[in-house]
Amino acid sequence: MTIVLTGARAFAGVSLIALAVAGASPAAARPNDPGAPMATTPVAGPTVSGRVYDATGAALPGARIVVEGTGVEATTNLQGEFTVAVPSADGDVRLSVDYIGRDVLPVTITAAERGRPAIITLPAAGASGDIVVTGQSLLDNTARALNQMRQADNTVTILSSDAIGRFPDPNIAEALQRVAGVGIERDQGEGRYINVRGAPSEWSAVSVDGIAVPSVDPTTRAVDLDTLPSDIVGNIEVTKSLLPYQDADSIAGAVNISTRSPFDRKGFALTGMAGMSYNQFGKGNDYRASASVSDRFGADRQFGILLSGSFSKTDRQPDNVENTWAQTAAGLRVTETLFKDYRTRRTRVAGSGAFEWHPTDATQLWVRGTYARFEDNEYRDRIGITWNAGNAAPVAGSTDTAATWASTRIEKQIRHRVQVNEIWTVTGGIEQKLGEGTVRLDGAYSESSQTYPRRDELLFRSLLRPTLSYDFGTSSDLPAYSVFTTNEHLQTGTYAFRENAYRSNTTKNDELTAALRIDLPVAIGDDDITFTTGGKYRERNIAADEERLRDQRSSAAPSQTLASFLSDEGSRNFDYNLGNRIAGGLADAYFDATRAASQRRLPQSLTADYTANEKILGLFGMGKGEFGGTTLIAGLRVETTDFRGQAPSVSRTGVITTALGKSGYTRFFPNFTVRQAFTPNIIGRFAVSRAINRPNFPQIAPRVLEATEGNTVRVDFGNPDLRPTLSNNVDAGLEYYIRPLGLIGVNAFYKDLFDYRYTVTSTGSYLGVPGAILSRPVNARDGKLYGVEVNWQQQLSFLPGALGGFGVFANYTYTQGDARFDTAFGGRRDFALQGQSKHMWNASLFYERGPVNVRVAYTKRSDYLDEINADAPALDLYWEGRGQLDATASLQLMKGINLFFEGKNLTNSAGVRYFGQRQRVYEYEKFGYTLFGGVRVKL
């Protein structure tokens, strides 16, 4: 740690020297980057302000505004606004508006127009013959993103709302998988978490309109992005190299989701979408719809209001088989197999609202709010086989792929689980120009929760103890099981009531944020430097409460037999015949009648609970100046962290106490960023920075979480001594923005890691139960993560005739990394990083000409580590890399009305987890393809 702190001090010293140099040197004015405040960056001296729109009245962000004769430039923000320094306070000013996808437009601001913002309208795309499109153009939306990326000071990737809508991506995680360097983790085939540049999911902070979103899941800081639909988004910005004004808790990359603003358009705007889908495995009627309406009003249209909403419902029935492998006296063998038959309905409801007031060009005020609700209502029938019942050994002659077991145990269970995630944020602020400077104040409150209104289980166990076998030699994905030949599991008369189980979980996160930022331009000669300082205070509270009930008494047994619970609906997983499904209505009636009398489980109803409070104060200072085509940014951020956590602790004798955990520390985050514009369209960037990832709350809270699946007991322990992970980062990249519309870019990165965190798994005894899987977070001494991203996007307009409508979107990311422990686990000290795929790539071919738009896209990531087994390397758990083929097509019927079709997961790719080697499959799951069609409206 001494070495780390010494390096940080040296790093800070270098950055502060660079800051002093920037402050002492002449520079031309440059605007803020796309992720900075709503208004444009202040400049010293006389200025010209304005707004840039397209022919439909939509604001054009990222447009490059150049003053002819001086070369001074500015960039439009998300609302198309700009302010640029000019030579004198009166007279005509000649500007050129440089926007990728359009011809450069010369504009003259006359002396008479200097007293009010200039309104500049760029001709429609295709007016010059560069891009021939009609209506809602994918190319037009791509241009919005590329222009913002070109003008950004640091390395960012932008996704515009309409571009997101051109893929079959119902939530934010699915949309982000198209970004170079971003992989996603799935639940039942649908994206939930993201891995940026091969890093763990919690290494990427997520914010909405700049306000951090607390996770709904009590086990991680990573935000469940499947809770947030893509329909309400105005812009998504993925920042891969931080600047000093940004929170430091994003080692991999920060994701900011900007909701729509009424000032995105000149006046009234209406967008909407509605459609239905068919899921191969769900076969239900699925719906999705969204709408957004906004308008500006008042004498000078200084008021703006926006409302948007989104709804979707999806029925899914994925097939799933899980095999638990364990070390036995005979070697690695399957000890339990679970066949899971799902009936799932997922419902999302979301909305956003904004009220903004721009009383003058110097003052802006706003209030914004968002709400998202995700409900997963799931019935699950399960057939389970415990191969080593009573800790029996396999019959002699077994191998690691095939075994016969005597006296196995067969169970049938139904579970009804309802999970509800909710996220809402509200933020208000004011931005005021004071002289030549700007002051911005923000206040925000965000809250997230995860509840389980139902988590009910009814278990029957067969009285038979048959001799059964499995054989993975025929197929590691879908092995041969003898039970489907002998059919003991179908003998419903042999089943007897075993137990009921009930769980209720409630987790609530809330965060209060207050922030201040001051931008001050200082004139040096004919140019100016912008100095920025400010701070942010964040306080987060989390409370997790769980209750568990279980009853194995004969008095809890249902009055009817298992056969009486069965419906006439068949239950199958792949080609495995599981018999008939248990009727959900009959099961619910039993649950409702017996829940109150079920026995409370102790200590499990206490040990999973915890509360925590975290306070973070961040202060920063930075300077930014431009020297010809070179932009220098240097600064320092300081963050102090104070954490307090507590959880019930239950001794072996049943005595209940409160365990306390606390930590406090201060970390420094120096930053030096260079942007070099070799030409307006060839941009190089280099950054040296530092970032942090604080441990997940349950990792440092002194608590214990037990999760039992079948007969396998898993226990997660907290570690109050766990340290935050720090990373010293180097980023470098070169991008060429192709006319009329395209990008070729290469970005490399290296992250030097300290105190990297792993979840280490071992096998042991828990509360007298042997063979439990025990997991505990620990720090590795050091590590590294490095890689390179290659990105190519281009409309192939150089092709003759109609072929010029073809285009390509492609990117590839290579990542490599590892970490080292001071002590060995399973004879090993060096480990791959969890969540790190060596290869990730996207390839998309599109065609857009006139009213027709077609796109075929494929995304793929390679295998990655999920968990480390401290006892046996052969039981390290991996996710197999997965590829997915999607397609979209649309037809513009008339201005503002568009018919579309989407196909998702067309090859029905499987989700696979395995232990150590691919042949030891732990989980094999398929989700089916989805076909979706509907209509879009944009007025």
Side-chain angles (χ1 to χ4, degrees):
M1 183 59 70
T2 301
I3 295 174
V4 176
L5 294 176
T6 301
R9 294 189 187 102
F11 191 7
V14 171
S15 293
L16 291 175
I17 292 171
L19 176 60
V21 171
S25 304
R30 272 194 59 83
N32 57 286
D33 59 85
M38 179 189 305
T40 55
T41 296
V43 293
T47 63
V48 165
S49 297
R51 301 184 180 95
V52 180
Y53 297 97
D54 67 10
T56 69
L60 293 180
R64 179 172 169 263
I65 313 298
V66 182
V67 180
E68 294 187 6
T70 68
V72 175
E73 64 180 71
T75 301
T76 57
N77 65 9
L78 287 175
Q79 282 72 51
E81 300 168 323
F82 70 89
T83 297
V84 64
V86 296
S88 63
D90 51 19
D92 294 352
V93 176
R94 287 188 59 83
L95 306 176
S96 62
V97 182
D98 178 10
Y99 188 84
I100 299 173
R102 309 286 210 280
D103 285 338
V104 176
L105 178 71
V107 175
T108 298
I109 309 298
T110 67
E113 297 171 325
R114 293 283 296 271
R116 61 184 183 276
I119 304 300
I120 301 172
T121 300
L122 293 190
S128 66
D130 288 340
I131 304 176
V132 182
V133 292
T134 303
Q136 302 177 45
S137 165
L138 170 63
L139 294 172
D140 197 37
N141 299 315
T142 301
R144 294 175 185 274
L146 292 184
N147 278 282
Q148 294 176 74
M149 292 164 59
R150 179 183 65 163
Q151 294 302 104
D153 291 320
N154 50 340
T155 304
V156 300
T157 300
I158 304 292
L159 292 175
S160 68
S161 60
D162 290 333
I164 293 169
R166 294 293 173 161
F167 286 106
D169 301 328
N171 66 52
I172 299 299
E174 298 269 343
L176 286 169
Q177 72 178 317
R178 314 294 174 179
V179 173
V182 177
I184 62 174
E185 300 177 22
R186 298 178 182 271
D187 177 68
Q188 293 190 5
E190 189 172 6
R192 172 162 292 178
Y193 298 116
I194 60 171
N195 300 115
V196 179
R197 289 181 161 180
S201 54
E202 61 265 27
W203 282 19
S204 297
V206 176
S207 57
V208 174
D209 292 326
I211 303 305
V213 176
S215 170
V216 300
D217 191 322
T219 65
T220 179
R221 289 181 186 265
V223 176
D224 294 44
L225 290 173
D226 58 354
T227 301
L228 300 171
S230 57
D231 307 78
I232 64 172
V233 171
N235 213 53
I236 301 178
E237 180 184 78
V238 182
T239 301
K240 295 176 181 176
S241 63
L242 300 178
L243 291 172
Y245 68 80
Q246 295 177 285
D247 295 332
D249 53 354
S250 290
I251 291 177
V255 177
N256 183 52
I257 302 164
S258 298
T259 56
R260 295 183 176 95
S261 165
F263 284 83
D264 291 342
R265 299 288 296 268
K266 283 184 180 179
F268 176 79
L270 172 67
T271 61
M273 179 275 293
M276 295 180 60
S277 67
Y278 171 84
N279 181 274
Q280 180 187 10
F281 283 16
K283 297 181 175 62
N285 293 320
D286 302 336
Y287 306 93
R288 203 163 88 216
S290 64
S292 175
V293 61
S294 67
D295 202 359
R296 292 167 57 181
F297 56 94
D300 297 316
R301 291 183 175 267
Q302 73 270 38
F303 295 101
I305 189 168
L306 179 144
L307 295 171
S308 71
S310 171
F311 173 82
S312 69
K313 178 188 72 68
T314 305
D315 291 333
R316 314 194 71 176
Q317 297 181 20
D319 286 347
N320 180 285
V321 178
E322 295 181 8
N323 293 281
T324 300
W325 297 70
Q327 190 70 50
T328 70
L332 286 175
R333 299 292 184 267
V334 177
T335 56
E336 184 174 49
T337 299
L338 302 176
F339 303 91
K340 299 179 179 180
D341 180 13
Y342 290 96
R343 289 164 285 166
T344 301
R345 170 166 291 179
R346 290 185 168 178
T347 306
R348 291 181 181 85
V349 178
S352 69
F355 177 77
E356 299 179 23
W357 180 32
H358 297 187
T360 69
D361 291 337
T363 306
Q364 299 185 12
L365 300 95
W366 61 89
V367 177
R368 301 191 192 100
T370 63
Y371 173 78
R373 185 180 190 273
F374 168 84
E375 179 179 300
D376 190 357
N377 191 336
E378 172 189 285
Y379 287 94
R380 187 193 69 186
D381 284 71
R382 191 192 77 195
I383 291 289
I385 301 174
T386 304
W387 302 94
N388 64 335
N391 293 317
V395 173
S398 67
T399 68
D400 58 350
T401 59
T404 298
W405 299 75
S407 300
T408 61
R409 182 182 296 142
I410 302 175
E411 295 176 334
K412 186 174 179 68
Q413 180 205 67
I414 185 172
R415 182 181 76 175
H416 186 189
R417 188 201 68 174
V418 179
Q419 175 187 333
V420 178
N421 296 343
E422 291 183 287
I423 297 174
W424 65 273
T425 66
V426 60
T427 177
I430 179 173
E431 187 165 282
Q432 178 67 52
K433 292 182 180 179
L434 298 174
E436 295 178 344
T438 300
V439 176
R440 173 173 169 141
L441 290 169
D442 287 274
Y445 179 80
S446 58
E447 185 176 298
S448 67
S449 64
Q450 183 178 83
T451 58
Y452 287 86
R454 301 194 80 123
R455 206 167 181 174
D456 309 338
E457 298 177 354
L458 172 61
L459 179 67
F460 294 89
R461 177 176 291 177
S462 174
L463 301 177
L464 301 176
R465 299 297 296 272
T467 297
L468 299 175
S469 62
Y470 60 78
D471 186 357
F472 280 69
T474 58
S475 169
S476 57
D477 296 334
L478 299 173
Y481 301 96
S482 65
V483 69
F484 296 108
T485 300
T486 54
N487 291 324
E488 288 89 347
H489 67 297
L490 300 182
Q491 299 181 33
T492 57
T494 66
Y495 286 87
F497 168 76
R498 174 59 182 172
E499 68 178 30
N500 63 41
Y502 302 97
R503 292 170 63 181
S504 62
N505 306 65
T506 301
T507 304
K508 180 180 178 182
N509 275 272
D510 64 70
E511 181 162 321
L512 180 67
T513 302
L516 168 68
R517 172 170 171 158
I518 301 172
D519 294 272
L520 180 65
V522 177
I524 302 176
D526 294 331
D527 304 302
D528 54 75
I529 300 290
T530 300
F531 289 94
T532 303
T533 187
K536 179 184 286 188
Y537 175 77
R538 300 162 54 191
E539 181 170 356
R540 179 179 291 190
N541 295 285
I542 180 171
D545 178 66
E546 181 171 327
E547 283 295 314
R548 300 191 186 189
L549 307 174
R550 183 173 68 183
D551 204 337
Q552 298 178 335
R553 298 172 299 180
S554 58
S555 58
S559 58
Q560 62 265 63
T561 64
L562 171 60
S564 301
F565 272 100
L566 298 180
S567 68
D568 57 1
E569 187 177 5
S571 176
R572 300 189 68 88
N573 253 16
F574 302 104
D575 289 328
Y576 303 128
N577 179 14
L578 308 183
N580 284 0
R581 287 173 170 168
I582 293 177
L586 294 178
D588 285 343
Y590 168 79
F591 293 141
D592 294 340
T594 58
R595 184 183 294 106
S598 193
Q599 297 175 310
R600 189 186 189 203
R601 295 188 65 187
L602 291 173
Q604 290 86 351
S605 292
L606 296 174
T607 54
D609 302 347
Y610 74 94
T611 60
N613 171 268
E614 182 180 71
K615 300 174 182 177
I616 300 172
L617 175 63
L619 302 173
F620 72 92
M622 58 179 274
K624 172 183 173 181
E626 183 177 329
F627 314 93
T630 304
T631 301
L632 294 181
I633 299 175
L636 178 68
R637 185 178 185 88
V638 181
E639 290 189 355
T640 64
T641 305
D642 181 76
F643 173 82
R644 298 290 184 272
Q646 63 182 42
S649 177
V650 181
S651 70
R652 293 272 183 177
T653 59
V655 176
I656 302 173
T657 58
T658 299
L660 302 176
K662 62 180 181 179
S663 62
Y665 46 87
T666 300
R667 297 291 184 266
F668 296 86
F669 304 95
N671 185 291
F672 182 66
T673 299
V674 180
R675 177 186 185 271
Q676 178 64 50
F678 298 100
T679 72
N681 294 318
I682 300 178
I683 311 298
R685 295 182 181 87
F686 175 81
V688 184
S689 62
R690 204 172 198 226
I692 190 173
N693 175 249
R694 298 171 178 89
N696 296 323
F697 290 114
Q699 289 182 321
I700 47 177
R703 48 85 85 168
V704 179
L705 175 65
E706 177 198 333
T708 302
E709 180 64 53
N711 292 284
T712 301
V713 178
R714 299 181 63 94
V715 187
D716 294 321
F717 294 89
N719 179 4
D721 297 325
L722 202 63
R723 298 181 296 275
T725 300
L726 293 172
S727 176
N728 292 327
N729 312 307
V730 178
D731 293 86
L734 184 65
E735 296 174 340
Y736 171 48
Y737 290 85
I738 307 167
R739 293 284 187 174
L741 187 65
L743 165 67
I744 297 176
V746 178
N747 288 280
F749 61 92
Y750 183 91
K751 301 180 184 297
D752 189 21
L753 307 174
F754 300 87
D755 293 324
Y756 180 87
R757 291 193 311 279
Y758 280 100
T759 298
V760 176
T761 301
S762 60
T763 303
S765 178
Y766 174 70
L767 297 180
V769 179
I773 299 175
L774 312 177
S775 296
R776 182 180 179 87
V778 297
N779 287 111
R781 180 177 61 190
D782 54 35
K784 60 184 179 296
L785 176 62
Y786 58 91
V788 63
E789 300 169 352
V790 180
N791 192 4
W792 175 34
Q793 302 180 33
Q794 188 175 6
Q795 179 207 8
L796 305 180
S797 57
F798 54 84
L799 295 176
L803 296 178
F806 281 104
V808 175
F809 286 77
N811 57 68
Y812 167 76
T813 303
Y814 172 85
T815 60
Q816 186 63 271
D818 56 50
R820 167 166 290 196
F821 286 95
D822 289 330
T823 57
F825 293 95
R828 303 168 292 168
R829 293 179 183 271
D830 295 332
F831 293 89
L833 304 185
Q834 290 167 302
Q836 182 243 315
S837 292
K838 182 176 290 187
H839 307 285
M840 291 185 290
W841 58 276
N842 288 279
S844 175
L845 178 67
F846 70 87
Y847 183 83
E848 182 167 296
R849 202 73 171 178
V852 177
N853 184 300
V854 180
R855 181 175 221 172
V856 178
Y858 186 78
T859 182
K860 176 70 182 288
R861 68 180 299 186
S862 60
D863 299 11
Y864 61 92
L865 178 66
D866 190 31
E867 291 181 3
I868 294 172
N869 190 287
D871 299 327
L875 290 177
D876 288 348
L877 187 59
Y878 290 85
W879 275 102
E880 182 184 40
R882 181 177 180 273
Q884 182 166 303
L885 179 66
D886 305 318
T888 62
S890 65
L891 176 66
Q892 195 79 27
L893 292 183
M894 61 186 69
K895 183 179 179 180
I897 299 180
N898 180 284
L899 294 180
F900 69 92
F901 169 81
E902 299 174 350
K904 183 178 179 181
N905 192 27
L906 295 176
T907 55
N908 190 17
S909 301
V912 181
R913 281 194 285 177
Y914 60 90
F915 289 105
Q917 298 178 8
R918 179 58 175 80
Q919 69 183 26
R920 288 193 289 270
V921 173
Y922 165 56
E923 179 179 18
Y924 186 79
E925 185 174 41
K926 282 199 169 185
F927 330 102
Y929 60 78
T930 299
L931 305 178
F932 182 73
V935 60
R936 293 190 184 97
V937 176
K938 186 174 183 179
L939 303 175

